[in-house]
Amino acid sequence: MLSTGALRAHLLAARLAGPVATSREESLRSYRLFAARDPRVLLGLDPEWTWEQRDLIELMADKCGVSADPAHTSGHDVIDPERTLVALDSFAARLGTAARRREPVLLGTGHPHRLLGFYAALADALSSAGCTVLTPAQGSSVDITTRFGLRTYNLDYVQGVALVREPGMQAPGGATGAHTHSPLPVRTVLAAAAEGGGPLPELVIGDHGWVCGAGQLGFEAMGLADTDDPALFVGEAEGRVSVVVPLDDAVRSDYYRPLTRYVLNRACLSQ
């Protein structure tokens, strides 16, 4: 079993925590846009409270460990590894509860190139524990506004994890997909599940719009977020997201494997 100390060392060595690749400039820009309620950074969340940039800096300092000084405007952001470890323990505890209760679950990612392996391992472990891993709306089209204009994507599932890909890019089931922050995929999936009369998820696991979009609709959701994704942490503060793990969400995919082992061990789901 991977010890807490060993995982802390890995978080720092892989730059999942500590000084991360996300810049202070990127994060401050996201906080400004969130304060202006720009849908690109709301990720499907409709905040109940008023969030000014200063409020978001204070929230992210508390949740992630970034600098609380508004005058700090450049350089790399910093994530406190202790906050990551505490959140991973909460994440694992909720995962373990889902497994014991055999809850239907939905997993989806907007970072398939980086995080697909992490979520796929969770999906496999939950399925082995008797949970139904939901896959509604496979093959459905979703129109998402991007900086290049309106683009059509197709919903697909890889090893139980939902993602979107551009039509014709790869056959269904392939391991690559598109990077997206949009909540439209999870809305499409949840609507299809409801219309089909099948089970609805009791827990949604993922990132970006998968978490915020589900939480906004009243589904319990948890996931991973970087310092430039304040929406998930706002959702947690307002009670619509249950757990958010602060970490760099765009490092090499194999760097997340120790986190997978740690979480599954803590959840008593190691195979």
Side-chain angles (χ1 to χ4, degrees):
M1 178 175 175
L2 188 68
S3 70
T4 300
L7 182 58
R8 182 188 297 106
H10 172 72
L11 291 171
L12 294 170
R15 296 188 67 184
L16 285 155
V20 294
T22 308
S23 71
R24 180 70 166 180
E25 293 92 334
E26 290 175 274
S27 295
L28 290 176
R29 178 179 179 273
S30 290
Y31 307 161
R32 284 195 299 272
L33 292 174
F34 190 97
R37 302 228 168 189
D38 189 309
R40 291 174 295 176
V41 294
L42 292 177
L43 310 185
L45 194 73
D46 183 13
E48 295 180 4
W49 308 341
T50 299
W51 293 89
E52 302 296 343
Q53 187 184 41
R54 182 178 290 272
D55 302 320
L56 292 163
I57 291 172
E58 291 176 357
L59 174 72
M60 299 301 283
D62 177 56
K63 295 292 187 180
C64 300
V66 303
S67 173
D69 182 3
H72 179 202
T73 59
S74 63
H76 291 287
D77 250 336
V78 175
I79 295 175
D80 177 6
E82 297 303 325
R83 287 171 169 82
T84 304
L85 290 167
V86 168
L88 280 171
D89 286 346
S90 297
F91 186 100
R94 182 62 186 90
L95 201 70
T97 298
R100 288 193 300 275
R101 295 175 178 171
R102 297 187 175 182
E103 295 174 349
V105 295
L106 172 69
L107 299 96
T109 182
H111 265 299
H113 298 84
R114 308 296 185 182
L115 293 169
L116 179 61
F118 175 78
Y119 297 123
L122 304 187
D124 183 53
L126 289 167
S127 177
S128 296
C131 296
T132 300
V133 176
L134 302 175
T135 58
Q138 182 160 12
S140 296
S141 296
V142 184
D143 292 328
I144 299 175
T145 300
T146 72
R147 67 179 184 271
F148 306 110
L150 194 66
R151 294 287 179 90
T152 298
Y153 295 87
N154 291 335
L155 271 163
D156 194 13
Y157 289 86
V158 179
Q159 299 178 67
V161 183
L163 50 80
V164 297
R165 66 173 92 251
E166 294 186 46
M169 290 298 291
Q170 188 170 339
T176 59
H179 175 236
T180 180
H181 289 82
S182 175
L184 295 177
V186 76
R187 291 175 186 167
T188 301
V189 165
L190 293 171
E195 291 166 6
L200 293 171
E202 293 183 32
L203 180 64
V204 177
I205 302 168
D207 47 59
H208 293 171
W210 288 94
V211 173
C212 290
Q216 182 63 37
L217 292 174
F219 292 87
E220 185 176 359
M222 66 178 189
L224 315 178
D226 209 332
T227 59
D228 61 348
D229 289 327
L232 283 85
F233 297 98
V234 169
E236 185 181 35
E238 292 190 348
R240 273 167 291 169
V241 175
S242 60
V243 181
V244 186
V245 180
L247 49 69
D248 189 321
D249 60 8
V251 303
R252 282 174 34 179
S253 58
D254 56 311
Y255 286 172
Y256 298 98
R257 289 174 189 160
L259 278 70
T260 306
R261 296 198 302 272
Y262 182 85
V263 164
L264 292 180
N265 275 318
R266 289 273 172 164
C268 301
L269 288 171
S270 297
Q271 299 176 12

